[in-house]
Amino acid sequence: MYITGARFPGRYVQAPGLISRLGAQAETLGKHALVILDRNLADVLRGPLEEGVKPLSAVISVHGGECSEQEITRNVEEGRAKGVDMIIGVGGGKALDTAKSVAFRLGGLPCVIVPTIAASDAPCSALAVVYKESDHSVDYDYFLPRNPDLVLVDTQIIAQAPSRFLAAGIGDALATWYEAESSRIADAPNCWGTHGSALAFEIARFCRDTIVEYGAEALRECDAGEAGPAFERVVEANILLSGAGFESGGVAGAHAIHHGLCELPDVHHHLHGEKVAIGVLATLLIHGNRDEYEKVRDYCLSVRLPTRLSDIGIVEVSDEKLQAVAQRACRPGEIMENEPITVTPDMVVAALRQLA
Ligand SMILES: [Zn+2]
């Protein structure tokens, strides 16, 4: 059967200072929460969280740093011992992915996600990436049956984070429309096996239009630590529109090349969305779409995104490195197959050479 569809978090709310209403927003979901708090923010946010989570009762667990099997198990045990009926994740991607996984392992408890940066579109998704504690490489992708029940975005907190995170989120959001469009033309399924509905593609388009119109201004507002009007629009695009857009519309070449780039230790200090932006540019070159490539490259420069391999740490470009990227990007069964043309490793290498 040919099924089309779209998936979303249960509820999405956004405002400056919203953490003060966390408990009021979440009280329809439970009464006794385990709050998994990013360790980098433990000092700053503990006070506002303890206040904001009322009238819920809450146990705060400071996250260990990695979303790993050990960290998930530790929090599952803590949640079980304390008899909680809800999980709240507060922080960056790893703390949030841990919260999603713990909620699922505890029998599908309601899950509330409070992102403190807008650096990727992960907060709204039903996906967690689990890493190994040993070498911090990817252990497995954890596809969960349900999206978070509530995503609460306090834009005042996000505006305090370095602008680089917002720019990276724009990079991830930039890929959403191109990948959904490739998936639509190729008639490829999304990551939960259905085909994007008409709404899925409209979300992706709206995501692109929003970051194009407001991206540069949002970064200036973020520099000033202000959750201004452009900032509000871009945060919604980075987190909600990009999240629903990629999960519903599908992923393709840009993320395939991202996965390939991650094979190189050179890029490890660069953010997900920064590598994805390079993936978008490379995919446009693979398609021979020079005009669109130049347009997107200029846009990337205007929103502080990388446009050359050296910008993401690949200073010495060798055939060996580019082959490693290309082989991983084109691995059989990979999302590169969602592109409407057959992409070979040689095509990836040739495109990346142009970005050297
Ligand atoms: Zn992404």
Side-chain angles (χ1 to χ4, degrees), residues 21 35 50 56 66 98 140 163 185 195 199 209 215 232 243 265 292 301 321:
R21 310 269 181 92
V35 180
E50 282 172 347
L56 308 178
E66 189 56 278
T98 303
Y140 59 95
S163 315
I185 295 167
H195 294 262
L199 176 62
D209 293 350
E232 293 281 351
E292 189 72 9
L301 292 170
K321 284 185 188 174

Side-chain angles (χ1 to χ4, degrees), residues 119-122 171-173 175-176 179 242 246 251 255 258-259 272-273 276:
S120 82
D121 55 20
D172 208 20
T176 300
E179 295 190 293
S242 185
F246 100 81
V251 289
H255 275 80
H258 161 272
H259 298 347
H272 171 82
V276 169

Side-chain angles (χ1 to χ4, degrees), residues 13-79:
V13 288
Q14 175 180 318
L18 195 54
I19 202 163
S20 66
R21 310 269 181 92
L22 173 59
Q25 284 288 332
E27 67 179 338
T28 53
L29 298 169
K31 295 203 166 1
H32 188 38
L34 176 70
V35 180
I36 299 175
L37 172 60
D38 197 314
R39 63 178 177 180
N40 298 319
L41 299 157
D43 294 341
V44 187
L45 286 186
R46 185 183 284 271
L49 258 177
E50 282 172 347
E51 200 50 43
V53 81
K54 291 174 185 169
L56 308 178
S57 69
V59 181
I60 294 184
S61 161
V62 175
H63 188 254
E66 189 56 278
C67 176
S68 62
E69 207 41 65
Q70 291 93 316
E71 187 64 23
I72 294 167
T73 305
R74 184 177 75 78
N75 282 285
V76 163
E77 282 166 4
E78 170 105 21

